[in-house]
Amino acid sequence: RRHTRCSRDWSSDVCSSDQWVDTRASGYLGPTGPTGPTGPYGPTGPTGAEYATFSRMGTVAVAAGASRYYVEHSGSIAYIRSSVGTAPTGSNLTVGINVNGVQQTTQSITAGSYTTGAAASISLSAGDYITVSILAVGSTVSGSDLTVTLTIN
């Protein structure tokens, strides 16, 4: 058998074994798998928790809560986590959790510690606002880089 220099230009005496068979011409498309199931998108789960995070970078000082977090839906503060980058020494660092300007609870990071967390149960209504006050900072070394995260269900 022979062919010209162009790979697409075969001579008339091409061997039949060199010819491609177009199976599409006979209607053959190859195997296909079964169609997958269709149906509803599935159950809708409960709304997930919201997280309100309050931060004070640098050395912490006693201060009233100024930044407000507004609550979109009724629920409750279920957990409070407080952390610092530098642990307070001499005495605890204490924060107050306020709803609509009224203190609801406090949380203290023990002197020499970096974090604390605890379950809470503080009711909230849509439209309420939350603030965090810093009530004590440590008597020998003030804590620094404070973060308070509230889990709202």
Side-chain angles (χ1 to χ4, degrees):
R1 69 183 174 190
R2 61 195 160 112
H3 57 66
T4 62
R5 293 179 152 228
C6 178
S7 63
R8 292 175 292 168
D9 186 12
W10 290 85
S11 66
S12 61
D13 63 343
V14 173
C15 176
S16 64
S17 65
D18 290 338
Q19 295 176 354
W20 293 94
V21 176
D22 186 355
T23 57
R24 292 177 294 161
S26 66
Y28 179 76
L29 294 177
T32 58
T35 303
T38 59
Y41 290 103
T44 302
T47 302
E50 288 181 64
Y51 298 93
T53 300
F54 297 84
S55 296
R56 179 68 55 99
M57 301 313 294
T59 302
V60 179
V62 172
S67 298
R68 293 181 177 188
Y69 177 85
Y70 284 90
V71 179
E72 295 294 324
H73 307 283
S74 296
S76 64
I77 297 172
Y79 196 82
I80 304 168
R81 165 69 60 190
S82 298
S83 311
V84 290
T86 300
T89 62
S91 63
N92 299 342
L93 185 150
T94 303
V95 297
I97 309 303
N98 313 306
V99 176
N100 299 326
V102 178
Q103 184 173 295
Q104 302 296 309
T105 192
T106 61
Q107 186 173 71
S108 294
I109 299 174
T110 305
S113 297
Y114 291 90
T115 190
T116 189
S121 182
I122 301 169
S123 295
L124 301 169
S125 297
D128 284 351
Y129 69 89
I130 304 167
T131 59
V132 175
S133 299
I134 302 169
L135 305 174
V137 296
S139 58
T140 306
V141 173
S142 296
S144 69
D145 302 328
L146 172 67
T147 300
V148 177
T149 302
L150 309 176
T151 303
I152 302 171
N153 290 331

